[in-house]
Amino acid sequence: NPDISHKSVKVCIPEGTNAMQIADILEKNNICKANDFLDVCKSTDGFDFDFLKTVPDTDIIGYKLEGFLFPATYDFAMNSDARDIAEQMLEAFDYRITDDMTAFCENNDMTMFELITLASVVQEEALGQKSAKNIASVFMNRLKKGAKLQSDVTYFYARDLRDSYGFSQEVYDAYYTYRCQGLPAGPITNSGSDIIDAVVNYPKTDYLYFFSDLQQEFHFAKDYDEF
């Protein structure tokens, strides 16, 4: 008789899905337990990828694999070990690291972890690659000025970490960009290649502010009065 306990299941992880959401998708598809997957995501231990060496060794990062769990469609075996699933997703990210990404980090004195953290905020703010490029420009300009990012989307991630997953107020403060300086403590979702590419190739502008209207059109401003 065939062993149906390890039957292969096609699972789609959409762009902009965070670790907590991925864990729920995996459990609903009988791949592994959500809590087991999240426990694996808390540490880089046991994974041999150069990009994970750029993840800071600090307790203020909620899920240290967040941002590197590449969104794609996978064939996963049911009742898998959570670490094996994470390994496959990390391998998919590793395969998609480009020379442009590496050059961006070198030219902007950023680590791969910081690039992916920035891309994750842009992923949540943008409604496509067109707006993503200018949004990335706003955030890069703010970082260069030493200004806070003040991105609303970081609040929701910080709130979920604290209120739904038991992380501390210190972690919340480190992710909420109205409170912390510069980038949040870590990525807030897992970005697709198109958004990472938009960040890497962001246009040089003087924009420091933006908002989207009720028609989902984005507007950018150079100073607060214009905003």
Side-chain angles (χ1 to χ4, degrees), residues 91-120:
E91 284 180 357
F93 176 87
D94 191 43
Y95 180 75
R96 290 167 174 82
I97 294 176
T98 65
D99 291 340
D100 284 348
M101 291 166 64
T102 303
F104 175 90
C105 292
E106 292 174 354
N107 294 336
N108 292 278
D109 194 25
M110 296 176 73
T111 64
M112 185 63 67
F113 178 77
E114 290 169 332
L115 165 58
I116 297 307
T117 299
L118 174 59
S120 74

Side-chain angles (χ1 to χ4, degrees), residues 118 121 125 134-151 177-178 180-183 202 205-211 220-224 227:
L118 174 59
V121 180
E125 289 278 12
N134 279 337
I135 291 172
S137 181
V138 169
F139 290 146
M140 284 298 293
N141 289 340
R142 283 178 167 262
L143 289 172
K144 290 174 182 177
K145 288 175 66 71
K148 291 182 179 178
L149 293 192
Q150 296 185 330
S151 169
T177 54
Y178 277 84
C180 67
Q181 199 70 34
L183 292 168
Y202 78 94
T205 72
D206 295 324
Y207 297 145
L208 288 171
Y209 299 88
F210 71 92
F211 74 96
F220 297 86
K222 297 177 181 178
D223 55 49
Y224 189 76
F227 171 66

Side-chain angles (χ1 to χ4, degrees), residues 78-97:
M78 294 172 65
N79 301 306
S80 291
D81 183 275
R83 181 170 292 275
D84 292 339
I85 299 301
E87 179 88 22
Q88 290 183 58
M89 301 185 78
L90 295 172
E91 284 180 357
F93 176 87
D94 191 43
Y95 180 75
R96 290 167 174 82
I97 294 176

